[in-house]
Amino acid sequence: MAETPNLIYIKELAAGSDAFEQKLIGIVKKEFPKERDEFLMNYNSKAFSKAAENVHKLKNKIGMFGLESGYQTAIDFEEELKGNNTSLFKEFMLILESIELFVNTL
């Protein structure tokens, strides 16, 4: 995967406010693992419509970390899941893993 997560978008949102930047990072650090785990639970239970809803939420975090290609993959995967198609699962998981590793360094 050529893309790597970054804080460019978060820094733009914070507009120089370190406190706001840290608040956003704190929210993501808290929410991301829960949303990922909920997605995996639904996916593994073959509740693909619920998993698609989880992907929709995760898609925003993917975009927040500057992963443009990853964001498009999430859009495509969300649509696939609605039709019980799981062909993008491995690619989506690589995106989530890259975010998880990145978030753990913050």
Side-chain angles (χ1 to χ4, degrees), residues 14 16 23 33 40 58 64 68 72 74-75 78 80 86 91:
K23 186 172 185 167
L40 287 171
L58 287 162
M64 189 176 280
E68 293 177 24
Q72 185 59 53
I75 290 170
E78 179 184 356
E80 282 191 356
T86 61
E91 188 175 344

Side-chain angles (χ1 to χ4, degrees), residues 2-98:
E3 286 185 312
T4 56
N6 61 68
L7 295 176
I8 295 170
Y9 181 71
I10 289 175
K11 288 183 180 293
E12 287 175 4
L13 283 177
S17 169
D18 288 336
F20 187 66
E21 183 178 326
Q22 290 307 310
K23 186 172 185 167
L24 284 174
I25 290 170
I27 290 168
V28 171
K29 287 177 85 167
K30 182 179 177 181
E31 289 179 355
F32 179 78
K34 292 176 184 177
E35 290 176 5
R36 182 206 56 228
D37 291 348
E38 186 177 339
F39 159 73
L40 287 171
M41 182 186 71
N42 287 324
Y43 181 86
N44 290 330
S45 299
K46 299 196 183 322
F48 296 133
S49 63
K50 288 184 180 180
E53 292 173 17
N54 301 130
V55 171
H56 184 79
K57 289 181 184 177
L58 287 162
K59 174 176 64 180
N60 296 319
K61 305 255 180 337
I62 292 167
M64 189 176 280
F65 285 114
L67 301 175
E68 293 177 24
S69 175
Y71 186 82
Q72 185 59 53
T73 299
I75 290 170
D76 296 341
F77 188 44
E78 179 184 356
E79 288 305 310
E80 282 191 356
L81 284 170
K82 290 176 184 177
N84 294 330
N85 182 344
T86 61
S87 66
L88 287 173
F89 176 75
K90 287 182 182 180
E91 188 175 344
F92 186 71
M93 287 306 299
L94 289 174
I95 295 164
L96 295 185
E97 288 169 15
S98 72

